[in-house]
Amino acid sequence: QACTYPCQCPSQPLQCPAGTSHVLDACGCCKVCARQLGELCSLQKPCDHHKGLYCDFSKIHRGSGICLAHEGATCDLLGKIYHNGESFQPTCKLQCICMDGAIGCIPLCSDDLRLPSPECPNPRRVKFRNKCCEEWICEEGSEENHFETAMAVFREDPARKPELNNLQENCLVQTTEWSACSKSCGMGISARVTNDNPQCRLEKETRLCMVRPCDFPVEKTKKGKKCVRTPKPRQSLHFEFSGCTSTRSYRPKFCGSCTDGRCCTPYITSTVEVEFRCPEGDFFQRKMMFIKMCSCHYDCPRDNDIFLATYHRRMIGDHV
């Protein structure tokens, strides 16, 4: 179809299946749900290029094609082979995709946490028979238990009784330390849990992190020293995340290396909002860790092992 300008896009927000990208149509006007491997495609219904898919017009006529994946390694999960670019659900709780031999998954169930609150003094997650994901229910208790549980989360004010409907004013803020970065090099994720929000509800919060670039050159140590703790890149750089690039350049500190078997990890960090721009023209902001100081030690994490890591070294002095 011929493109018409100015663009006229649907007023309702775009609803796509989990793990499906929002991409611009051929006119560069409206966001559409990207077509997946094996699905019919056209210029107005493009394939998911974030997953390495392209529209092959050679097999179907009249302006339609089929989404195929560029050649890449297959994935083996529990003895089952998946092709490059193929999406699949190993369980009802995960949506996964094979990308050139690597498997990436997103959770389909929320992993949010809840603190007791006046309207829900005894929150509990329950597995229902016909549903995949657990859901929160609020158990009713006695009036005395109701008040005591609520006060465990809310401040006491000796001048007057607490107004339990004013959640934010009476909320006793609880925030955990940021976890170690999920990757030893390149862009990873760090997380913490906090109830510093208007609902005083315990929620998971994430930030991007980069301990060092994977192609970061190893600097020579000074005479008598065995470690380079926090080197800076010689030139400013743009961060990249999910195919999008930071709108401004940065010259961050990274953690260096040692010659005696020790590893260097972030010790003092801060958190900054970084704006990213995507090829489709979209902008978004994500919190990101910036290193102020690293420490060198023998308590080393396993390389990029985000599921089995026993490494929980603490970072201090963090602030937003």
Side-chain angles (χ1 to χ4, degrees), residues 28 30 40 89-90 107 121-122 129 152 157 175 186-187 198 202 211 224 241 248 255 281 289 304 306 320:
C30 306
L40 293 177
Q89 275 188 253
N122 297 304
R129 186 174 181 182
D157 188 348
T175 305
M187 194 68 79
L202 202 61
V211 178
F241 175 65
R248 55 161 290 196
C255 290
M289 176 187 79
N304 293 347
I306 63 172
V320 176

Side-chain angles (χ1 to χ4, degrees), residues 37-56:
L37 186 69
E39 293 181 349
L40 293 177
C41 54
S42 65
L43 292 175
Q44 295 298 89
K45 298 175 181 177
C47 299
D48 200 336
H49 62 271
H50 294 125
K51 299 177 182 177
L53 304 180
Y54 68 97
C55 195
D56 183 0

Side-chain angles (χ1 to χ4, degrees), residues 182-203:
S182 63
K183 290 193 176 182
S184 59
C185 76
M187 194 68 79
I189 298 291
S190 177
R192 70 179 179 184
V193 175
T194 181
N195 67 336
D196 190 7
N197 52 62
Q199 292 76 34
C200 193
R201 180 178 296 169
L202 202 61
E203 293 179 344

Side-chain angles (χ1 to χ4, degrees), residues 8 11 13 26 30 35 66 68 77 86 134 180 209 211 213 217 232 260 268 271 273 291 297 301 306 318:
Q8 292 183 345
S11 58
C30 306
R35 299 291 168 155
I66 189 167
L68 299 179
L77 181 64
E86 184 177 355
E134 294 179 338
C209 54
V211 178
K232 266 191 175 184
D260 59 357
I268 300 178
T271 305
E273 290 275 357
I291 298 170
H297 49 84
I306 63 172
D318 189 86

Side-chain angles (χ1 to χ4, degrees), residues 126-133:
V126 174
K127 177 75 172 72
F128 290 98
R129 186 174 181 182
N130 297 325
K131 294 185 178 181
C132 175
C133 303

Side-chain angles (χ1 to χ4, degrees), residues 171-223:
C171 183
L172 183 63
V173 175
Q174 303 174 59
T175 305
T176 66
E177 301 290 335
W178 287 104
S179 68
C181 194
S182 63
K183 290 193 176 182
S184 59
C185 76
M187 194 68 79
I189 298 291
S190 177
R192 70 179 179 184
V193 175
T194 181
N195 67 336
D196 190 7
N197 52 62
Q199 292 76 34
C200 193
R201 180 178 296 169
L202 202 61
E203 293 179 344
K204 188 177 180 181
E205 189 177 44
T206 60
R207 65 176 180 178
L208 301 176
C209 54
M210 185 184 290
V211 178
R212 63 185 66 81
C214 291
D215 56 355
F216 198 54
V218 178
E219 293 196 9
K220 292 182 179 179
T221 56
K222 294 180 181 179
K223 192 174 181 179

Side-chain angles (χ1 to χ4, degrees), residues 75-82 88 90-91 103:
C75 302
D76 182 350
L77 181 64
L78 302 176
K80 189 168 183 179
I81 303 297
Y82 298 95
F88 58 96
T91 72
I103 296 175

Side-chain angles (χ1 to χ4, degrees), residues 18-292:
T20 301
S21 304
H22 296 186
V23 295
L24 286 172
D25 58 24
C27 298
C29 271
C30 306
K31 285 292 183 73
V32 295
C33 297
R35 299 291 168 155
Q36 303 303 303
L37 186 69
E39 293 181 349
L40 293 177
C41 54
S42 65
L43 292 175
Q44 295 298 89
K45 298 175 181 177
C47 299
D48 200 336
H49 62 271
H50 294 125
K51 299 177 182 177
L53 304 180
Y54 68 97
C55 195
D56 183 0
F57 293 99
S58 64
K59 296 179 175 60
I60 303 177
H61 300 292
R62 295 185 180 177
S64 293
I66 189 167
C67 286
L68 299 179
H70 294 289
E71 284 191 32
T74 58
C75 302
D76 182 350
L77 181 64
L78 302 176
K80 189 168 183 179
I81 303 297
Y82 298 95
H83 297 289
N84 181 38
E86 184 177 355
S87 295
F88 58 96
Q89 275 188 253
T91 72
C92 63
K93 295 184 178 182
L94 289 175
Q95 177 73 43
C96 302
I97 182 172
C98 172
M99 297 185 69
D100 197 16
I103 296 175
C105 300
I106 58 171
L108 300 177
C109 297
S110 171
D111 60 350
D112 62 321
L113 301 170
R114 280 191 77 165
L115 279 174
S117 60
E119 73 275 6
C120 187
N122 297 304
R124 189 163 64 90
R125 295 195 81 151
V126 174
K127 177 75 172 72
F128 290 98
R129 186 174 181 182
N130 297 325
K131 294 185 178 181
C132 175
C133 303
E134 294 179 338
E135 296 183 6
W136 285 105
I137 64 167
C138 297
E139 291 187 339
E140 292 294 332
S142 65
E143 286 296 320
E144 184 179 350
N145 289 340
H146 181 104
F147 182 77
E148 286 178 0
T149 309
M151 287 310 299
V153 185
F154 293 87
R155 291 191 180 95
E156 291 187 39
D157 188 348
R160 56 186 174 85
K161 290 185 178 181
E163 296 178 10
L164 297 181
N165 59 336
N166 191 345
L167 302 182
Q168 200 162 19
E169 181 181 338
N170 297 310
C171 183
L172 183 63
V173 175
Q174 303 174 59
T175 305
T176 66
E177 301 290 335
W178 287 104
S179 68
C181 194
S182 63
K183 290 193 176 182
S184 59
C185 76
M187 194 68 79
I189 298 291
S190 177
R192 70 179 179 184
V193 175
T194 181
N195 67 336
D196 190 7
N197 52 62
Q199 292 76 34
C200 193
R201 180 178 296 169
L202 202 61
E203 293 179 344
K204 188 177 180 181
E205 189 177 44
T206 60
R207 65 176 180 178
L208 301 176
C209 54
M210 185 184 290
V211 178
R212 63 185 66 81
C214 291
D215 56 355
F216 198 54
V218 178
E219 293 196 9
K220 292 182 179 179
T221 56
K222 294 180 181 179
K223 192 174 181 179
K225 298 279 187 180
K226 294 184 178 180
C227 294
V228 179
R229 281 200 307 183
T230 48
K232 266 191 175 184
R234 293 175 182 174
Q235 296 180 337
S236 59
L237 54 86
H238 289 268
F239 294 115
E240 290 190 4
F241 175 65
S242 294
C244 306
T245 307
S246 61
T247 54
R248 55 161 290 196
S249 61
Y250 297 88
R251 198 161 170 249
K253 290 181 178 178
F254 295 119
C255 290
S257 57
C258 299
T259 58
D260 59 357
R262 285 184 290 172
C263 54
C264 288
T265 56
Y267 181 56
I268 300 178
T269 69
S270 64
T271 305
V272 177
E273 290 275 357
V274 175
E275 186 178 60
F276 290 87
R277 187 178 192 276
C278 302
E280 293 85 5
D282 280 4
F283 290 86
F284 67 90
Q285 289 186 328
R286 286 294 300 268
K287 290 180 180 177
M288 185 163 180
M289 176 187 79
F290 278 77
I291 298 170
K292 293 188 171 183

